[in-house]
Amino acid sequence: MPLLRTGRSAVPPDVESAPPDRHSLALAEVLRTVAAPGKTQILDLGPANGANVAYLSRYACTLHIADLYRTVGAADGENEEVLERAFDRQIPQGTFDLVLAWDLFDYLGRTGLQALGRQLAQRTAPGGLLFALVSFHPRIPDRPHRFQIVDPETLRYGDPSGLERPAPGYREPDLIRLMPGFEVGGSYLLRHGVQEYLLTRRQRAAADGDEAEQDVSDRV
């Protein structure tokens, strides 16, 4: 199973680009987590975005940038253990209350998503939130969007490349199986064919038992 989805093709010239701003149903809950009492530790798996840094600066939070897509690209074709070690090096050490995965899941094969899930489970506080967007379309841009928080109900889908690749087509049962350290706390299907997920880090004892059971089932 490939770790990185490939098979790029050009978007037909007569297909217009989608509007850059999209309504979000989950973002308000994400920002409520940021606004919670105490200093929220946020892990952003996307690239550094000055607009998001400025937007989040109004809250008492610390933002850590991982930019994992570059790591995934560098590990393309490697096995799961190699990719997991790459994630381990790239993701900052610490315990995070909120993880912004954006649309990174769409650019990982199943083994890659499973490896990422293990790393995030180790670094996300019990009850912590993971925000992810998964496409329902058969094809997606050839690289992740550069998301910008416009307001509590709007995300800007930036940096279109004009190229496409096949989408992995993940659905909720896939996420539950591949990321047993998390449970689905919210799921919102948007009109433009994207599913927003709010995944919650499960309590350690239950999650560790499920992960051990998952490892055994994978070997059967």
Side-chain angles (χ1 to χ4, degrees):
M1 186 70 63
L3 300 182
L4 184 68
R5 299 283 170 170
T6 57
R8 301 177 177 86
S9 64
V11 177
D14 58 340
V15 176
E16 296 183 358
S17 298
D21 289 359
R22 296 293 196 180
H23 183 64
S24 171
L25 295 174
L27 185 59
E29 179 63 27
V30 171
L31 294 177
R32 278 193 287 271
T33 297
V34 180
K39 193 164 188 176
T40 305
Q41 299 294 318
I42 305 173
L43 174 62
D44 188 338
L45 302 185
N49 186 319
N52 287 343
V53 173
Y55 190 96
L56 294 173
S57 66
R58 69 189 69 182
Y59 302 101
C61 66
T62 302
L63 181 63
H64 305 262
I65 305 296
D67 195 4
L68 280 196
Y69 181 65
R70 291 192 304 170
T71 301
V72 174
D76 188 16
E78 300 288 357
N79 60 35
E80 182 178 357
E81 291 75 16
V82 171
L83 186 56
E84 187 164 358
R85 287 197 296 271
F87 286 150
D88 183 50
R89 290 191 299 270
Q90 188 71 13
I91 298 175
Q93 296 296 319
T95 302
F96 300 100
D97 306 296
L98 172 65
V99 178
L100 302 173
W102 307 116
D103 58 353
L104 181 64
F105 291 2
D106 276 343
Y107 298 86
L108 293 171
R110 290 177 178 270
T111 50
L113 183 54
Q114 195 167 36
L116 177 61
R118 281 195 291 267
Q119 289 295 322
L120 293 180
Q122 294 172 17
R123 290 170 166 83
T124 305
L129 200 64
L130 189 160
F131 176 45
L133 300 96
V134 176
S135 178
F136 260 65
H137 296 287
R139 300 189 68 80
I140 55 176
D142 78 319
R143 62 174 180 259
H145 289 90
R146 189 180 182 92
F147 289 93
Q148 178 185 332
I149 301 171
V150 177
D151 59 48
E153 296 184 344
T154 310
L155 280 174
R156 180 161 297 155
Y157 288 54
D159 198 26
S161 67
L163 298 176
E164 288 185 339
R165 70 197 310 162
Y170 291 128
R171 299 296 180 262
E172 186 170 320
D174 300 308
L175 301 185
I176 293 171
R177 173 175 171 77
L178 296 171
M179 304 185 70
F182 294 86
E183 58 186 352
V184 177
S187 175
Y188 309 91
L189 180 59
L190 306 181
R191 290 182 177 181
H192 60 286
V194 169
Q195 189 102 23
E196 293 183 327
Y197 286 99
L198 295 174
L199 306 181
T200 303
R201 178 65 171 107
R202 303 176 70 182
Q203 297 300 316
R204 298 289 185 184
D208 291 346
D210 285 351
E211 287 168 2
E213 182 179 346
Q214 179 67 44
D215 289 340
V216 171
S217 66
D218 287 342
R219 291 196 295 269
V220 173

